[in-house]
Amino acid sequence: MKNETRVATMNIAPLGFGYLYLKEYSWFALTFFCGVPSIFSALVMMTILSVGMCVWHGCSDAEQALVLAPIALTMTLSLFTMMDAKNRRKKSVRRR
């Protein structure tokens, strides 16, 4: 029996392993190919922004918020996939 909490936990990192666990391969592929670039771009953008703004100059509070802004995409994708995988698990249980 597949556990809802386990499915949601597997999707904390937006790589879609919870969908793979549920054997929903199309959702896994979509999440994986959106999750990996979002994680990579967030890390690269945070590094570039922090080096560009904060190392050579002093950072104001607004500039520090801009440095952390790219991670919002990754966090949003992570929360969506966690909730969606948990809901898909509940729906699959009801169908049986």
Side-chain angles (χ1 to χ4, degrees):
M1 173 169 251
K2 296 184 179 175
N3 189 349
E4 297 164 9
T5 307
R6 185 178 301 155
V7 170
T9 305
M10 292 175 87
N11 276 350
I12 286 178
L15 299 176
F17 294 124
Y19 293 123
L20 192 61
Y21 180 70
L22 291 175
K23 296 181 182 174
E24 296 198 15
Y25 302 113
S26 59
W27 281 103
F28 166 71
L30 180 67
T31 305
F32 187 81
F33 290 117
C34 290
V36 171
S38 72
I39 292 170
F40 179 74
S41 64
L43 290 174
V44 169
M45 288 174 59
M46 285 174 57
T47 303
I48 290 171
L49 287 173
S50 64
V51 168
M53 283 194 229
C54 297
V55 172
W56 292 310
H57 306 77
C59 274
S60 67
D61 291 336
E63 289 172 337
Q64 288 176 355
L66 281 175
V67 169
L68 297 176
I71 203 144
L73 173 67
T74 306
M75 292 299 294
T76 303
L77 184 61
S78 175
L79 290 173
F80 172 75
T81 58
M82 286 172 58
M83 291 185 302
D84 184 55
K86 188 173 182 178
N87 289 337
R88 285 180 180 278
R89 171 66 187 128
K90 285 181 183 177
K91 287 180 185 176
S92 71
V93 168
R94 279 188 237 146
R95 279 187 240 150
R96 293 180 185 180

